[in-house]
Amino acid sequence: MAPVTLYKTSDLVKKASSQAVFPMLAPGTAVPASRQQSLVGLKRLMKGRGLDPHGLEATVYDTQSCVVSGTLLEASGIDSNTMPIIEPGNPFFYNGDANLLALVMGQPAVAQSFNVYYLHWGFDSTHCVRLGSHAHYFITAALQGCSIFITGDPASPTVYHLNANSVTVNGGTEAQEQQAKVRTMASRFDAARKVMGGSQQSSGSAKMTDYMPGMLSVAASTQLEQEHGVSGTSWYHLRTHAFRSFWKVDQDFLVQYGTVFGVREGGRWSFYFQRRTRHGYRYKTWTSGKVDHGEWDVSCERFWPA
C-alpha cells in the first residue's frame, strides 16, 4: 500500500487532528543504546526504609541512537498476517480499523519515510531522552496508563516516559489506584528532573487521567456512548451499516488510549497529546457471519510549551 505523504511537519499535526496515530516498531527493531542513571540515591534510600524502589533509576537514551526511519500507513489497508497492529497487553488487532494511521518505525526506508525520534518504555520504570536536531518528529509508545513529561529548553527538551504498573491501593477503588499511580509517576519525574535538568515551571505532562476510561466522569462517559451509539448487545443504527434490521451487534464497547508526539519547526519543539477513542464491535449479517469492526475518533491539542 502507498504510504501517507507528509510535505512538512505541520502536516502531521493536521492529520492527527482528524485521524488516530498509532506508533509501532517494526519486528526485529533494536532497542537504542542507553545507560542507567541513579536518581539522587533515592533507590538506596527507599530500600533502606523498606519502601518500593521501582522506577527510581532512569534509563537515559543516547540522542542520536533514538532516530529511526518512520512511515505512515493506513491501518485499513494493512493485513494482520504481514504486519499485526497491536498494543502490549491488549488482545485487539487494529488491522482494518477505520480512521487509524500506523506510524511504523524501524523498517527499511521507502520514498515517503522520514526520520523520527522514538522513546522506548518499560513497566515500573523511567525512560528519558534529550532531543536535538537529528529529526523533526518525536513519538513514544502508545499510552495505556503511563505518563509523559516534557521539560527544558524548547530547542533541546528532555522527554520522560514513566510507568507505575505495580502501584496499588489496598482496599481502594480503581479511580483511587489510578490517582496513586499518577502521583507516583509525578514524584519520580521530579526526582529525575533534578538530576537531568529542567525547571518545574517549564514542564508539561500528559497523564493517564487525560485518557483512561476509568478517569472519565459519568457525564463524559455518557456523552461518548451517545456519540458512538453504544448500547451493548442490541439492535441499533450503525453509521456504516444503515440497514439495522439486518444487523445484530455483538461485543459492542468503547476504549480510550493516548498518543504523544512532537514536531520541530523553526528550531523549536512543540508537543501534542492525542486522545484516541476506539468504538469496536462485531456485527452479524445474513451472508457473512460475524464481522469485526473498529473505528476511531480523536481529539488533539498542544500541551507543551504552555
Side-chain angles (χ1 to χ4, degrees):
M1 63 180 300
V4 176
T5 302
L6 285 179
Y7 294 103
K8 52 188 177 181
T9 50
S10 57
D11 286 345
L12 181 60
V13 180
K14 292 177 183 177
K15 292 181 187 301
S17 298
S18 59
Q19 290 182 277
V21 178
F22 179 85
M24 57 179 289
L25 289 176
T29 303
V31 176
S34 64
R35 68 182 188 277
Q36 290 288 321
Q37 182 159 337
S38 178
L39 302 184
V40 225
L42 286 179
K43 188 168 185 178
R44 180 180 298 177
L45 175 65
M46 295 286 279
K47 282 185 174 179
R49 295 181 179 178
L51 301 175
D52 180 11
H54 282 303
L56 292 176
E57 283 188 352
T59 301
V60 183
Y61 291 93
D62 174 71
T63 300
Q64 190 167 355
S65 72
C66 283
V67 179
V68 293
S69 174
T71 308
L72 277 174
L73 299 171
E74 294 276 2
S76 57
I78 303 176
D79 186 89
S80 60
N81 293 321
T82 58
M83 189 182 294
I85 306 176
I86 57 175
E87 288 174 302
N90 189 323
F92 306 116
F93 282 80
Y94 299 150
N95 300 82
D97 278 11
N99 203 31
L100 179 66
L101 291 172
L103 175 49
V104 183
M105 294 163 290
Q107 65 181 12
V110 296
Q112 301 299 336
S113 296
F114 50 89
N115 284 342
V116 57
Y117 286 106
Y118 175 78
L119 177 58
H120 202 55
W121 76 287
F123 287 115
D124 295 304
S125 60
T126 299
H127 294 247
C128 61
V129 63
R130 180 165 292 158
L131 303 185
S133 57
H134 307 95
H136 296 299
Y137 302 94
F138 164 89
I139 201 159
T140 187
L143 306 181
Q144 301 180 71
C146 298
S147 291
I148 306 299
F149 290 87
I150 320 290
T151 191
D153 184 347
S156 184
T158 301
V159 188
Y160 298 80
H161 190 150
L162 295 100
N163 180 277
N165 185 66
S166 294
V167 172
T168 59
V169 177
N170 291 332
T173 65
E174 181 180 0
Q176 289 172 330
E177 187 168 287
Q178 289 176 335
Q179 291 285 2
K181 293 178 189 290
V182 167
R183 290 192 299 270
T184 298
M185 287 183 279
S187 64
R188 291 174 183 171
F189 159 70
D190 195 48
R193 178 188 58 77
K194 292 175 180 176
V195 176
M196 300 296 297
S199 69
Q200 194 169 27
Q201 290 72 27
S202 69
S203 301
S205 65
K207 303 180 292 295
M208 63 190 297
T209 48
D210 296 319
Y211 58 86
M212 293 294 282
M215 302 308 301
L216 296 177
S217 67
V218 173
S221 298
T222 301
Q223 180 180 352
L224 278 174
E225 291 178 355
Q226 290 174 345
E227 289 173 354
H228 289 268
V230 172
S231 57
T233 304
S234 62
W235 298 95
Y236 73 107
H237 181 85
L238 292 174
R239 72 178 84 169
T240 53
H241 305 286
F243 302 103
R244 60 179 176 178
S245 61
F246 291 99
W247 313 115
K248 179 67 174 179
V249 175
D250 184 26
Q251 298 180 6
D252 191 20
F253 59 92
L254 289 172
V255 291
Q256 276 197 313
Y257 303 111
T259 296
V260 166
F261 66 94
V263 297
R264 181 177 181 270
E265 291 187 286
R268 296 171 65 86
W269 285 92
S270 297
F271 285 82
Y272 297 80
F273 169 74
Q274 185 188 68
R275 179 183 293 109
R276 300 185 278 118
T277 305
R278 183 181 191 258
H279 180 201
Y281 53 87
R282 303 179 73 190
Y283 60 90
K284 187 175 182 179
T285 74
W286 290 111
T287 58
S288 61
K290 289 188 176 181
V291 179
D292 290 313
H293 185 83
E295 57 186 281
W296 297 79
D297 282 345
V298 301
S299 62
C300 183
E301 60 187 62
R302 194 181 84 164
F303 70 93
W304 191 89

